[in-house]
Amino acid sequence: MKKHYPWLFFDADGTLFDYNRAEGTAFRRAFESVQLQFEEPYLRVYQEINNKLWKALERHEITPTVLRLRRFELLLEALQLNGSADDLNLAYVEQLGLCADLIDGAYEVLETLSKTSRIAIVTNGLDAVQRSRMLHSTIQPFISELIISEEVGAAKPHPAFFDAAFTRTGNPARQDVLIVGDSLTSDMRGGVDYGIDTCWYNPGGEITPDGLSLTYEIENLQELLNIIR
């Protein structure tokens, strides 16, 4: 049976926006912008470094400001390249903010759901990237609120992030909110711990881990239309 949620909280990267494509494009363009020779294996090295730092951010071990620069300091060190981590970071953030490619079905699903629910994007992304991307995105008309961890001073899954999101959305009842996201550690864990319904976007068909009770699981965004009325 379908359920109505007055508020839908969507993660951004990997749920609505095609982050893998954007990351590769922005990374290559950033190297070109600072006159560093780009080689394809560099991207994998960067991803490993970047993913570890974002997990540390989720655990509140580092701040977004530290993350921005540190990932490129570690990258240049690992690749033994001479260059400015600060310049590379600035170029990357600028380029990433221009990449607004969507996951298949995202536009159509948000267009439909926005007719009966209000939609907020809840993201651990960087302020400069997410706001620039939203300005360049076709889904902007469907979004009522954009809540960014760097702006609110807390990251998913920390309850303080969800406190800020609920404040920004008028403090709805928790049963009136569904969070949709691809990350088990930030979106799903955060939603479960906060006491709201969860929908894991799992396009890769990964196995649901034990000990995490999820409300819904989908492999494509169109399935949301079978869940939400």
Side-chain angles (χ1 to χ4, degrees), residues 18-34 38-40 42-44 46-47 72 88 91-102 133:
D18 188 341
Y19 183 74
N20 290 336
R21 181 176 179 181
E23 181 182 53
T25 299
F27 187 79
R28 174 178 51 79
R29 289 176 178 172
F31 263 69
E32 293 170 353
S33 176
V34 299
F38 171 75
E39 295 184 18
E40 202 64 41
Y42 292 176
L43 177 59
R44 176 55 57 188
Y46 167 77
Q47 289 171 331
F72 290 108
L88 193 54
Y92 178 74
V93 167
E94 179 182 7
Q95 291 298 328
L96 193 59
L98 299 175
C99 297
D101 298 294
L102 298 172
R133 178 183 290 164

Side-chain angles (χ1 to χ4, degrees), residues 142-164:
F142 311 134
I143 308 304
S144 297
E145 292 290 343
L146 175 59
I147 298 104
I148 305 171
S149 60
E150 187 175 19
E151 293 181 349
V152 303
K156 297 176 292 182
H158 200 281
F161 178 91
F162 289 89
D163 287 341

Side-chain angles (χ1 to χ4, degrees), residues 69-90:
L69 191 59
R70 186 60 178 153
R71 55 188 176 176
F72 290 108
E73 290 174 341
L74 292 173
L75 177 69
L76 292 173
E77 180 181 321
L79 298 178
Q80 297 184 326
L81 293 176
N82 291 321
S84 166
D86 188 52
D87 288 347
L88 193 54
N89 167 61
L90 291 173

